[in-house]
Amino acid sequence: GTQVAPRPHKGQNEAVSIEHKLNKSIMTSTQKSGWALKSHRGKSFCKRQEKRFFVVEGNFVSYYKNGNKSNRTGKFDMRTIVSLSCPESGEHVGCHVLIKLQSKTIAVKFEDDYGGWMACFCSAVALECIKTPSLEQYHSADLHASFRGKPGSNISATSSLGTTATPRPAEPEPPEPVST
């Protein structure tokens, strides 16, 4: 018979490879694209999903019926995300992330590179917007800063409570004392 090389012990290099994959995908995740299933027009994820090609360009997410980006069916600005969660029960169970925007809720299940997509979405928002503790590991402060440095990142964002958060202007430097 043929000899088969022994397989490495399960978990032996798992932590290293997961961290490597996460770091690799974090480096490029303000620009990302790929296929996902999403809830249809606010309906339950359990009842109806549609396959869409998602494209992240900085703070902006667009999704299309096809991979050549000719038929956009929706878009949103990640700065308008109110919360991210991973429902374990209810009408959206089975999705990877439930994205609550000011105006709508979108349930999404990614076809591949789960870690890269989660790093992208979880790092685009402030840590306090992440409502499922297991998703917090995907938030990167460095990537969050990259998203905040993208064009349009200083626009006002209105929360679901109706308050407006505007970036504070830098404090003026006090004048140098004049020696006499």
Side-chain angles (χ1 to χ4, degrees):
T2 31
Q3 287 208 321
V4 179
R7 296 180 71 181
H9 181 264
K10 182 163 171 45
Q12 197 174 13
N13 294 320
E14 218 165 277
V16 174
S17 70
I18 288 171
E19 189 171 327
H20 174 73
K21 284 179 186 172
L22 189 58
N23 288 341
K24 185 179 174 201
S25 49
I26 280 175
M27 288 186 276
T28 60
S29 43
T30 59
Q31 304 282 317
K32 188 151 187 56
S33 62
W35 289 99
L37 293 174
K38 70 168 281 296
S39 53
H40 178 68
R41 298 182 184 207
K43 301 247 187 314
S44 153
F45 186 78
C46 296
K47 290 184 179 160
R48 181 147 181 214
Q49 306 136 20
E50 294 189 329
K51 189 172 181 173
R52 293 290 181 256
F53 189 74
F54 276 69
V55 177
V56 174
E57 290 171 329
N59 290 298
F60 304 101
V61 178
S62 300
Y63 39 97
Y64 304 85
K65 281 189 177 179
N66 52 38
N68 63 13
K69 301 196 285 187
S70 63
N71 194 350
R72 189 175 72 198
T73 60
K75 65 177 182 172
F76 62 91
D77 184 327
M78 288 200 278
R79 292 164 298 188
T80 66
I81 293 174
V82 175
S83 71
L84 295 176
S85 61
C86 182
E88 293 180 15
S89 62
E91 63 179 353
H92 296 297
V93 73
C95 73
H96 286 149
V97 64
L98 188 63
I99 304 163
K100 287 194 185 216
L101 303 166
Q102 293 157 5
S103 57
K104 63 184 168 184
T105 298
I106 304 169
V108 181
K109 184 174 187 174
F110 302 104
E111 284 203 348
D112 57 18
D113 193 18
Y114 171 83
W117 281 107
M118 296 315 291
C120 182
F121 279 97
C122 292
S123 298
V125 301
L127 195 54
E128 55 269 18
C129 291
I130 301 171
K131 304 302 181 191
T132 303
S134 64
L135 296 182
E136 291 175 1
Q137 66 181 315
Y138 295 103
H139 181 86
S140 157
D142 290 343
L143 185 55
H144 183 69
S146 295
F147 274 110
R148 290 299 167 246
K150 294 291 170 195
S153 61
N154 60 352
I155 65 164
S156 297
T158 308
S159 80
S160 58
L161 300 175
T163 58
T164 301
T166 325
R168 283 188 186 174
E171 290 289 319
E173 290 289 320
E176 292 288 323
V178 180
S179 54
T180 50

